[in-house]
Amino acid sequence: KGIIEDSGTRLVFCDRAFAGYDYVEALQGAGIACLEHIVVLDEDGDGNGVTSLPALRHRGAGVDGAVLDQRIALGSGDDLADI
């Protein structure tokens, strides 16, 4: 919860579950106010704030290139990332 909340993360990519641990359930139950979207890599989303990677790609397919360039320009090398 710490790094997600401290950074103001709005979107997280994760597997739904691994080795008996349900990451989606843990994230949804953690009470992280800034977290708006969870993108699951290994299966379909459920529409309840959880989407699949293919569905996310589909949503971005219609974005104008100029808009995308503007969004990329908002980022910097100092932006927080955790992999």
Side-chain angles (χ1 to χ4, degrees):
K1 179 176 175 179
I3 194 169
I4 294 172
E5 203 164 51
D6 291 347
S7 67
T9 297
R10 295 174 49 205
L11 183 143
V12 170
F13 292 91
C14 67
D15 287 326
R16 178 170 292 278
F18 181 76
Y21 187 79
D22 190 327
Y23 291 98
V24 171
E25 183 178 294
L27 287 165
Q28 288 177 325
I32 303 169
C34 59
L35 186 59
E36 299 173 15
H37 307 281
I38 300 170
V39 178
V40 289
L41 304 174
D42 56 347
E43 61 182 70
D44 292 337
D46 62 17
N48 188 23
V50 181
T51 191
S52 68
L53 188 55
L56 180 66
R57 286 183 182 136
H58 180 74
R59 285 179 55 192
V63 174
D64 180 80
V67 172
L68 182 57
D69 289 340
Q70 289 174 337
R71 291 179 184 172
I72 291 170
L74 293 173
S76 77
D78 293 330
D79 290 342
L80 182 62
D82 188 22
I83 299 175

